[in-house]
Amino acid sequence: GRSGMATSCIAATGAIREARTAGITAATTVTRIPIVNELITADSGGSNGSRLRLWKTQLAELATETGLRITVCHLPPGTSKWNKIEHRMFSAITLNWRGRPLETHEVVVETIAATTTKTGLSIQAALDTNTYQKGIRITDKAMKAFEAAHLQRHTFHGNWNYTVTGTPADNTTHPNRQE
């Protein structure tokens, strides 16, 4: 098996927080949203990398909770440095906190959240105080079962482009559950 990283849970938690903030649940997708697809673009490294098992299983939990089909398109390895929005936002954040002592988490989050670019792009930021388990392992067998039930690889670069679906909670792959 391969080890997951706590940061995959953190990355997926951000997506879950966004869905909850928007009021998206499995019940609302049936009544309010005619197309129940979500698109996430991600780089190929870090906590949401295209090869990370925990990232995918956490997205399946989000899909189960919200009723969404989550399509993920990863930038090819080594190309995230060309992500224009990311670079425009990071430079604006840097300008915004220039000369300000970043002494607490709250100051960092407030400074990031107060950032807006000249063209009007703004950032939503929130402090995540959850504690995440480290070293979560998803075995080869569990991942194979997960992929069969929840992962649809796209024809074009299926390792980088795929759709994750949810199922009823009792059928979802839970990496924290002891088998």
Side-chain angles (χ1 to χ4, degrees):
R2 297 192 180 177
S3 293
M5 299 296 290
T7 51
S8 293
C9 287
I10 295 168
T13 297
I16 291 167
R17 182 184 300 118
E18 287 297 316
R20 287 181 181 154
T21 300
I24 298 172
T25 65
T28 60
T29 57
V30 172
T31 58
R32 289 190 357 208
I33 303 172
I35 301 172
V36 289
N37 290 315
E38 180 69 21
L39 174 64
I40 296 175
T41 56
D43 60 21
S44 288
S47 59
N48 56 359
S50 61
R51 297 183 341 178
L52 294 180
R53 296 172 176 199
L54 188 57
W55 163 249
K56 293 172 186 169
T57 60
Q58 293 296 294
L59 287 179
E61 289 192 21
L62 172 60
T64 298
E65 181 176 322
T66 62
L68 293 170
R69 292 171 41 88
I70 301 171
T71 297
V72 181
C73 296
H74 291 275
L75 294 168
T79 62
S80 64
K81 59 184 163 266
W82 296 318
N83 181 333
K84 292 181 188 299
I85 298 220
E86 184 176 311
H87 282 270
R88 286 177 25 206
M89 297 313 294
F90 280 129
S91 62
I93 291 167
T94 301
L95 288 172
N96 197 32
W97 70 24
R98 180 180 47 206
R100 184 174 184 186
L102 304 175
E103 296 175 338
T104 66
H105 291 112
E106 289 77 13
V107 169
V108 172
V109 171
E110 289 168 9
T111 303
I112 292 170
T115 302
T116 304
T117 67
K118 292 176 187 174
T119 59
L121 287 175
S122 63
I123 298 174
Q124 295 179 4
L127 181 61
D128 184 351
T129 59
N130 292 323
T131 302
Y132 295 92
Q133 178 182 345
K134 293 181 182 178
I136 297 172
R137 294 177 56 84
I138 300 174
T139 65
D140 291 343
K141 181 179 177 182
M143 194 62 194
K144 186 173 183 176
F146 165 81
E147 288 192 7
H150 303 280
L151 195 75
Q152 299 167 343
R153 294 190 183 278
H154 297 191
T155 304
F156 182 76
H157 289 288
N159 287 340
W160 299 340
N161 304 299
Y162 50 85
T163 299
V164 179
T165 58
T167 58
D170 57 337
N171 292 333
T172 302
T173 302
H174 298 278
N176 294 328
R177 185 182 295 158
Q178 300 296 321
E179 295 181 11

